[in-house]
Amino acid sequence: MNISATMVKELREKTGAGMMDCKAALTETAGDVEQAIDWLRKKGLSKAAKKAGRVAAEGLVGIASDGPRAAVVEVNSETDFVARNEAFQTLVRTIAGVALANGGDRDATAAAGYPGKGHSVDDEVREAIATIGENMNFRRSAMLSVSAGVVGSYMHGSTADGLGKIGVLVALESTGKVEPLADVARKIAMHVAATNPVAVDASGIDPATIEREKAILLEKHQGKPANVQDKIAESGLKTYFKEVCLLEQPFVHDGSKTVAQVLKETEGQVGAPVKLTGFVRFALGEGVEKETSDFAAEVAAAAGTR
């Protein structure tokens, strides 16, 4: 019997199993969807759909580098225990490599072929859900590259090579000596991990955010003359930019200098101009709404006392 793409799609939606597994199940059962579901269940491949609604805020951030470019990904799991699973670590490391080959685009990476398998990265994640037994999610990815220079990286809370809790990339454009440039890029990446800046400089901050900050400053000083309020707001915004703009922040490795001053000094070391063209910081689980539970209430409910 000819197994159509529509039949495979229908079975995938019902079970959450991988595309190739769905095709195999339909082939084995002569296209009978209900029997195919049972076939997948017997092989433990239909677990993914049941777990898809569970919150996945743990997992790993992974980094892959290749010369003047690097990619960072976040793959989530339900528990930190899974992050120590070798199979999960291999999954994240491999997805980072695929992201590097696909320009850091999340959707392109998810749809790309998983190395050594006849299916996509998304399908491999679904298979991992069935095998490992937890909900997982390839959440995001990004890439930085330079035409000349380096993309430095740093992984905080490292659990294995290129894997950890906070992954940072920093791109330094320069035709200067690579070795000292790479050292500075890594140190700035460590700085970004610690300070979590909003943008490289003020031009990179959303104008709406700046207006919101200005409104807060003006609200605090209502009743004062307009010209005084404007000066206070201007001064307050300068302070805000020093706090959130990477180039204006005091360097964590030497608080007497800003990151911009460190880059200026670096130009002398590498023998060429240096420009910080961008950075990416992925912190595991940031922005994911985690479930909270009242354990005592759950026990009481289970015992029938509430």
Side-chain angles (χ1 to χ4, degrees):
M1 179 180 179
N2 182 42
I3 305 302
S4 69
T6 302
M7 294 167 67
V8 173
K9 182 174 181 290
E10 180 187 352
L11 186 57
R12 273 187 83 182
E13 289 174 350
K14 287 186 175 183
T15 65
M19 181 175 66
M20 298 306 293
D21 291 319
C22 287
K23 187 173 182 180
L26 288 165
T27 301
E28 288 290 325
T29 59
D32 188 304
V33 174
E34 293 305 315
Q35 286 186 34
I37 291 173
D38 289 342
W39 188 90
L40 288 168
R41 287 180 64 190
K42 288 172 184 176
K43 291 187 173 293
L45 296 173
S46 64
K47 297 176 181 178
K50 295 179 181 179
K51 301 178 190 300
R54 304 204 310 227
V55 175
E58 298 294 337
L60 287 169
V61 172
I63 289 176
S65 302
D66 180 20
R69 62 194 188 113
V72 58
V73 302
E74 179 183 357
V75 183
N76 298 124
S77 61
E78 290 181 56
T79 66
D80 181 58
F81 178 77
V82 167
R84 299 191 291 274
N85 180 299
E86 190 173 331
F88 182 74
Q89 292 180 356
T90 298
L91 175 70
V92 178
R93 193 178 284 115
T94 303
I95 292 176
V98 177
L100 186 62
N102 285 273
D105 182 273
R106 190 265 167 209
D107 292 340
T109 300
Y114 190 85
K117 301 287 184 74
H119 56 227
S120 69
V121 166
D122 257 357
D123 285 334
E124 185 66 16
V125 172
R126 288 191 184 94
E127 289 201 354
I129 293 171
T131 303
I132 296 175
E134 280 195 13
N135 186 27
M136 295 176 198
N137 175 39
F138 168 32
R139 186 184 178 202
R140 54 180 173 164
S141 62
M143 190 182 93
L144 291 180
S145 64
V146 291
S147 56
V150 301
V151 176
S153 64
Y154 171 68
M155 184 65 72
H156 184 72
S158 181
T159 56
D161 185 36
L163 304 171
K165 300 293 186 183
I166 300 176
V168 178
L169 306 180
V170 170
L172 297 184
E173 190 91 43
S174 179
T175 57
K177 299 174 186 175
V178 171
E179 192 172 329
L181 191 67
D183 181 59
V184 171
R186 176 173 170 76
K187 287 179 178 176
I188 294 176
M190 294 173 71
H191 170 100
V192 171
T195 64
N196 192 18
V198 172
V200 172
D201 55 32
S203 68
I205 300 177
D206 186 343
T209 299
I210 295 175
E211 284 303 312
R212 187 165 61 249
E213 289 296 322
K214 185 175 180 180
I216 292 171
L217 289 165
L218 292 174
E219 180 73 25
K220 289 179 179 178
H221 300 282
Q222 278 187 338
K224 293 185 178 180
N227 64 323
V228 174
Q229 285 190 357
D230 288 342
K231 287 181 180 179
I232 290 172
E234 183 181 349
S235 175
L237 284 175
K238 285 182 179 178
T239 300
Y240 171 70
F241 293 147
K242 287 178 182 178
E243 292 173 351
V244 303
C245 295
L246 176 55
L247 292 178
E248 295 191 41
Q249 289 180 329
F251 194 39
V252 293
H253 299 279
D254 183 352
S256 67
K257 305 170 186 175
T258 64
V259 173
Q261 289 170 330
V262 170
L263 289 174
K264 197 65 182 173
E265 289 181 1
T266 302
E267 292 183 349
Q269 298 169 13
V270 303
V274 177
K275 183 180 180 181
L276 198 160
T277 58
F279 71 89
V280 178
R281 181 186 187 273
F282 279 6
L284 181 66
E286 63 185 349
V288 177
E289 188 173 340
K290 300 182 182 182
E291 290 181 331
T292 57
S293 61
D294 185 337
F295 183 67
E298 289 179 7
V299 172
T305 58
R306 290 186 65 174

